[in-house]
Amino acid sequence: MKVTVRLSDDLTAEIDRIAAANGQTRSSWITTALTVAAVSPESQSVPIMPVQGRGHPDDYIRVTVRLNRSEIEAIDTVGAPMRLTRNEWIKRTIRWQLWDKAALLRLAPTTQTEIGKVRKQVLAIGRNINQAVHAMNAANQPESSLDIARIAGSFLETCAELRGLLVETRRTLASSIGGEIGYWTRKDEGPSK
């Protein structure tokens, strides 16, 4: 098993000095030191904690993975259009494979940006509809000089156009989000052969 440890420059220099004096590499000296510490009589009296349940489930743990250059280049290529760093793409891929509820995950930044734009447009449409309804209510008052038939007619035409636009936008969003979920979960590939 490979374990990665971060050490200060001073501590690394001291380990290198002691390891060289004992005719060992840095790695072999650290391995020996850890082995001695783990099997020493003092360590036998340390209470043993169960492996499961250590720490908080949301604690971050560093994992090191070695990939060849072509795999790294492929990750960079597929991650770039989604504005994902290499690290974000790898984490997202692993998480989508582990989690069964896509709603727990954030969508890729590009997808979130597009959804944000659509959300702003829908809010603007809602404000315009609200203003039109207020205008119709004002026109419907007995003392109003506004022509409710003219306001209502144009409002109904606009609502019909907006309905079509919103239905198409919903389809596009569902397709985009479904495509992303399919990408991460490989549901778009269908059954394995």
Side-chain angles (χ1 to χ4, degrees):
M1 176 196 278
K2 178 180 179 174
V3 177
T4 304
V5 180
R6 291 179 186 226
L7 304 172
S8 68
D9 292 340
D10 293 340
L11 181 56
T12 303
E14 188 61 17
I15 290 171
D16 287 345
R17 185 185 69 74
I18 296 169
N22 288 294
Q24 294 177 301
T25 64
R26 179 189 304 162
S27 180
S28 64
W29 185 87
I30 291 172
T31 300
T32 302
L34 291 172
T35 302
V36 168
V39 298
S40 69
E42 293 83 20
S43 70
Q44 300 307 314
S45 62
V46 174
I48 297 174
M49 300 294 292
V51 173
Q52 293 180 346
R54 279 194 212 165
H56 190 271
D58 292 331
D59 288 347
Y60 287 97
I61 298 171
R62 178 179 293 277
V63 175
T64 304
V65 178
R66 292 185 187 271
L67 301 171
N68 63 41
R69 186 174 308 283
S70 65
E71 291 168 328
I72 294 296
E73 289 169 356
I75 289 170
D76 292 343
T77 300
V78 299
M82 292 181 276
R83 293 197 309 251
L84 294 172
T85 66
R86 185 182 300 160
N87 192 41
E88 289 168 335
W89 188 91
I90 291 169
K91 285 194 300 188
R92 186 174 294 271
T93 301
I94 291 169
R95 287 175 177 157
W96 274 98
Q97 296 305 313
L98 293 175
W99 295 342
D100 59 355
K101 292 185 180 176
L104 296 175
L105 296 174
R106 290 189 181 110
L107 295 169
T110 51
T111 306
Q112 279 187 291
T113 300
E114 291 306 310
I115 290 173
K117 289 177 187 175
V118 170
R119 182 179 177 276
K120 286 179 184 176
Q121 290 173 344
V122 170
L123 288 173
I125 291 168
R127 282 191 294 273
N128 290 342
I129 290 173
N130 194 31
Q131 289 171 354
V133 169
H134 282 294
M136 284 193 309
N137 284 337
N140 200 30
Q141 299 299 318
E143 67 276 356
S144 174
S145 62
L146 297 173
D147 181 12
I148 191 164
R150 185 181 61 81
I151 293 171
S154 115
F155 174 71
L156 292 174
E157 287 174 17
T158 302
C159 283
E161 290 171 17
L162 289 176
R163 184 177 188 282
L165 182 62
L166 288 172
V167 166
E168 183 56 36
T169 301
R170 181 174 175 248
R171 280 192 197 119
T172 303
L173 276 175
S175 174
S176 297
I177 294 169
E180 183 171 342
I181 291 170
Y183 174 82
W184 293 112
T185 61
R186 297 294 178 216
K187 299 275 192 260
D188 55 344
E189 293 178 352
S192 299
K193 294 182 179 178

